Amino acid sequence: QVQLVESGGGLVQAGGSLRLSCAASGRTFSSYAMGWFRQAPGREREFVAAISWSGGNTYYTDSVKGRFTISRDNAKNTGYLQMNSLKPEDTAVYYCAAGGGLNVRYRAEYGYWGQGTQVTVSS
C-alpha cells in the first residue's frame, strides 16, 4: 500500500518556476514507477511526466519537454516535478501517481494517486 501527498503548488507568473513534491508512505514506493498527471477545468486528466522505479528512465509529454524535470529520491520516499518557464496553459491540478505498469503514460497503469495540488500560472 502506498499513500501519496503532493505539495508545492501555488500561483506564479508566466515564465516563473515551481517545484512540486510527492511524499510517499509505505516501504514499496521504490519499486514503483512514478508519474505526474494534470487536469484543467473541463478537461481530461492528462499525462505530464513519469520516471522509472530506479530513476534511470524518464518520460515527458511533448508540451513540457525542456521545461519540466521529473526526479525521485527513493531514500526519502519522495518524487519531484521541477517546472520552469511556466505558461498559462500549464494551469491545472497536478496529481502524482505510483504504479507498476509498463505503459507509464496511461492513467490505468497507476494504482495509487495523491489528492492533487493546484498550479495557477497568470499571464
Side-chain angles (χ1 to χ4, degrees):
Q1 190 79 359
V2 177
Q3 293 183 325
L4 305 172
V5 179
E6 303 95 335
S7 61
L11 174 64
V12 64
Q13 288 188 330
S17 298
L18 284 173
R19 189 193 197 201
L20 305 184
S21 297
C22 176
S25 62
R27 293 176 294 175
T28 58
F29 173 71
S30 60
S31 64
Y32 291 113
M34 187 191 76
W36 286 94
F37 290 74
R38 65 187 180 187
Q39 187 168 17
R43 300 188 66 176
E44 293 285 324
R45 191 172 299 186
E46 64 174 2
F47 170 77
V48 176
I51 188 168
S52 61
W53 67 270
S54 67
N57 294 293
T58 57
Y59 311 85
Y60 298 94
T61 193
D62 286 346
S63 63
V64 308
K65 283 181 181 177
R67 299 189 299 123
F68 290 12
T69 302
I70 190 172
S71 61
R72 68 190 297 164
D73 185 340
N74 286 339
K76 296 182 178 180
N77 270 6
T78 303
Y80 305 96
L81 185 67
Q82 177 68 44
M83 305 186 295
N84 299 328
S85 302
L86 282 161
K87 304 175 180 180
E89 51 263 45
D90 294 318
T91 295
V93 177
Y94 283 71
Y95 298 88
C96 70
L102 297 178
N103 295 318
V104 294
R105 297 176 184 271
Y106 295 94
R107 291 167 52 187
E109 296 293 334
Y110 295 87
Y112 303 102
W113 292 84
Q115 83 290 348
T117 186
Q118 176 70 47
V119 171
T120 303
V121 184
S122 63
S123 57

